Amino acid sequence: MRDQLKPEAGQPPAVPNRRRPPDTADGRTGDDPGQVAERLSYLDSATRRINSALDLAATLRNICRVLVPALADAAVVHLRDPLPNVEREPGFPDELRIHHSHGTRLGRRGRPSGGADHRNSRYATRYGSRSTADTGPATPVTRGGALAHALLSRRPAEPAVLGTPGAERTAGLLRELYGARGLARLGPGTSVLALPLRGRKAVLGMLVLIRRPSEKTGRPTFDATDTATAAHLATQAGLAIDTALRYAREWEIANELQRSMLPLRLPQPHGVRLAQRYLPGERGAQVGGDWYDAVPLPGNRVALIVGNVMGHSLTSAAIMGQLRTSAQTLAALDLPPHEVLYHLDEQAQRLGREQHLATCVYAVYDPIANRVVLANAGHVPPVLVQPDGTAELLELDAGAPIGVGGVDFASVELPAPPGSSLLLFTDGLVETRSRPISDGLELLRARLASAQRHTPEQLCQEALRILPPGDRGDDIALLAACFEGIPAGDVAHWYLQPRNETPGRARRLAAHTLRRWGLDELCEATELMVSELVTNAVQHATRPVTLSLVRTTRLRCEVGDDSPLLPRPRRIGPEDERGRGLQIVARCAERWGATRLGTGKVVWFEQRLP
């Protein structure tokens, strides 16, 4: 008998099937001490296993596995549909739906494939139970019915043997859950125990335990001791399901917070094509702090940023948002990459250096000079793919993570010819539970070197192919840039001394360049706007003024000076002699703006090409 009760690997010990002897005269039970010890051991291991997971699907599997075959021949878990928000009182349960079963196909219809079953699939995916294949049709809960009574009653559950007197209420409950055909499949002599699954604030569902007729299995019906054991485990199961739903909700909130702080779309500056991917960790992992960004800079340059706040928590996601905002602000000042990392390091220390370390790689691509400048703060090295397909890991001076303090970061300038590509990523791409980061980096480099790439989207897709099947313990951020460059013949740049005659010279230089490019239609408006901006720059500059014209799909003009004061449109009166220049620019240009730099400012405007 003992050998028959030995559990499988990972299973809790089985409950002895002997009936409990009658109570003795002194009120004590006549249970054998060995049986009592076995039952207590079973309850301990079963409780531990029920509460061992935070994922709903895993929790439901564990509930059924500790009950079958140790306590019952089959178990079915019904949960409210839709799954409730356990933070609030959900009210009366309108419907129940099977979410998991073990040892029976009662009420099951396989995976939802269309129609109304898609609604259940949506709820299952939302709460992490997509692997549960036991979903069945929704069962309405009728007020005043046997099912509603069993769900809401506080009286101890009582087992019933179908086909015997006193089993009518249980039979009615099963008829509501599975219909007349399902009740007939159970047949007379089947012992059934229906237990409500209660969370911390409300009932969440129903647990149905089944023992088939004893003449078929040799197993007795549920007795009072079995009922007490099952009731205890149902209480633990209800709390575990409640915990799983709370965790799922917190995970969704944190994940939504992180996604809301990532850019919805990337800018697409001229001379470079960008694409990004973000993959959150699987539901078993907490939300991380990975981020990416791209910031347009003067001179048609673009800053590329990928970072990772260490740790996995809601705090990590919040700190990520703060660092990303700081990085955007610093990038807009057009500081060198190592200076951006230095100031980010200072910001992280103000947020709390002990808990908010982060890694980051910051790159600035210049499509006119075909160069890229990079700086690294403890991040995994990016991959640079040359036009001939050669891929290399850029072994930059990694430095220390942001937040350590007192670290000297360094910038490295590299050629980035047209046709080359750069991939920035976080360590979740190359480091897994079964693969060290060094092997992942080499695998990524080899994959990108051998792949046929045409777009940044394809570059991201090739990079993700190195991920092994199975759960990811960390989130992943990718930022791919395919460099196209801007031909030197489409760029004109001048340094002009801040003198009274400079605006006239700037008009002549701009007009000559536009005629050389065949853009005579834009000459008049461009001369007027250049004159206004250069005049304003000369009034405030103490060093040479810069004037740039760049022809891409648009004509872009930039005027820079060393004054940090940004021009602001203001309301002017009919007798005011100043302040009309920006109104002229705003009226004539398609877009215009001003950017403060570390050494002054740049005012720019754009026009459509004819």
Side-chain angles (χ1 to χ4, degrees), residues 58-389:
T59 298
L60 297 180
R61 286 194 300 268
N62 290 340
I63 292 170
C64 289
R65 286 173 181 173
V66 301
L67 294 169
V68 180
L71 189 62
D73 297 324
V76 185
V77 179
H78 300 257
L79 296 181
R80 300 173 69 130
D81 187 42
L83 291 171
N85 178 359
V86 292
E87 300 290 344
R88 300 194 300 266
E89 169 59 50
F92 184 82
D94 295 321
E95 291 183 339
L96 297 184
R97 189 183 293 270
I98 295 177
H99 274 254
H100 199 82
S101 62
H102 193 73
T104 180
R105 295 195 60 82
L106 190 66
R108 297 195 329 191
R109 291 185 177 179
R111 288 190 182 273
S113 57
D117 280 344
H118 278 302
R119 182 166 60 96
N120 181 63
S121 176
R122 173 166 60 90
Y123 291 121
T125 301
R126 178 183 175 188
Y127 285 92
S129 55
R130 60 173 68 92
S131 62
T132 303
D134 302 332
T135 53
T139 300
V141 180
T142 305
R143 293 179 182 269
L147 179 56
H149 180 270
L151 286 170
L152 303 179
S153 175
R154 290 291 180 175
R155 298 180 58 186
E158 296 180 359
V161 180
L162 298 182
T164 62
E168 291 79 8
R169 183 179 290 275
T170 300
L173 181 151
L174 297 175
R175 189 178 294 108
E176 286 188 57
L177 286 175
Y178 311 119
R181 181 177 298 180
L183 179 61
R185 287 178 57 187
L186 291 174
T190 300
S191 182
V192 178
L193 188 58
L195 301 158
L197 296 170
R198 292 188 175 91
R200 292 168 176 83
K201 292 189 176 182
V203 64
L204 301 177
M206 176 70 68
L207 172 64
V208 178
L209 300 181
I210 300 169
R211 280 187 182 177
R212 297 183 175 89
S214 57
E215 58 268 18
K216 296 182 179 180
T217 62
R219 195 174 199 178
T221 59
F222 292 112
D223 62 12
T225 305
D226 295 328
T227 302
T229 301
H232 172 79
L233 295 180
T235 300
Q236 296 296 322
L239 294 175
I241 293 172
D242 185 281
T243 299
L245 293 177
R246 289 174 186 271
Y247 175 79
R249 185 170 183 271
E250 291 174 3
W251 187 92
E252 286 186 341
I253 292 173
N255 188 52
E256 184 62 28
L257 171 65
Q258 183 180 27
R259 285 187 175 276
S260 67
M261 291 187 293
L262 293 174
L264 295 177
R265 62 186 62 88
L266 292 178
Q268 294 297 330
H270 298 290
V272 59
R273 290 179 295 163
L274 303 176
Q276 87 288 341
R277 293 289 187 277
Y278 174 74
L279 280 70
E282 294 294 338
R283 189 169 295 275
Q286 290 182 305
V287 67
D290 292 11
W291 90 89
Y292 60 86
D293 212 344
V295 183
L297 301 176
N300 288 86
R301 295 169 301 141
V302 60
L304 309 173
I305 315 167
V306 166
N308 178 20
V309 176
M310 296 183 183
H312 295 81
S313 65
L314 190 61
T315 302
S316 299
I319 295 300
M320 176 271 288
Q322 291 175 296
L323 291 180
R324 176 178 172 248
T325 301
S326 298
Q328 283 185 319
T329 303
L330 294 169
L333 294 176
D334 201 16
L335 299 175
H338 64 277
E339 286 291 330
V340 171
L341 296 184
Y342 173 79
H343 290 292
L344 280 179
D345 180 62
E346 287 188 325
Q347 174 67 8
Q349 290 181 74
R350 286 190 289 268
L351 295 174
R353 58 179 295 178
E354 293 82 4
Q355 300 179 358
H356 306 311
L357 298 180
T359 64
C360 180
V361 61
Y362 184 96
V364 175
Y365 170 63
D366 188 340
I368 297 175
N370 292 318
R371 310 284 291 182
V372 61
V373 184
L374 305 100
N376 193 350
H379 201 77
V380 287
V383 178
L384 181 63
V385 184
Q386 300 293 344
D388 61 0

Side-chain angles (χ1 to χ4, degrees), residues 368-530:
I368 297 175
N370 292 318
R371 310 284 291 182
V372 61
V373 184
L374 305 100
N376 193 350
H379 201 77
V380 287
V383 178
L384 181 63
V385 184
Q386 300 293 344
D388 61 0
T390 304
E392 62 174 320
L393 294 166
L394 299 181
E395 297 296 342
L396 309 173
D397 183 6
I402 292 171
V404 172
V407 179
D408 185 23
F409 301 102
S411 295
V412 176
E413 184 173 352
L414 300 172
S420 58
S421 303
L422 182 68
L423 180 69
L424 310 179
F425 53 93
T426 54
D427 56 358
L429 176 66
V430 292
E431 185 177 28
T432 64
R433 298 183 181 95
S434 59
R435 185 177 63 199
I437 191 170
S438 57
D439 293 350
L441 288 171
E442 177 56 30
L443 182 62
L444 175 63
R445 187 205 63 79
R447 180 79 194 186
L448 297 183
S450 61
Q452 296 293 328
R453 297 161 310 278
H454 302 285
T455 67
E457 289 80 7
Q458 292 172 340
L459 190 67
C460 291
Q461 195 63 31
E462 289 295 331
L464 293 176
R465 293 184 189 278
I466 72 169
L467 290 174
D471 290 350
R472 297 186 308 277
D474 198 1
D475 48 348
I476 299 172
L478 298 178
L479 179 58
C482 292
F483 302 144
E484 297 177 336
I486 297 177
D490 291 332
V491 180
H493 187 82
W494 301 275
Y495 289 93
L496 306 173
Q497 295 298 324
R499 300 169 181 165
N500 293 333
E501 63 270 18
T502 297
R505 184 181 177 214
R507 287 195 301 270
R508 292 189 295 273
L509 292 172
H512 175 75
T513 302
L514 293 183
R515 293 188 182 95
R516 179 164 55 87
W517 287 343
L519 301 177
D520 300 63
E521 298 179 26
L522 301 180
C523 281
E524 183 177 354
T526 303
E527 284 187 66
L528 179 60
M529 290 186 285
V530 166

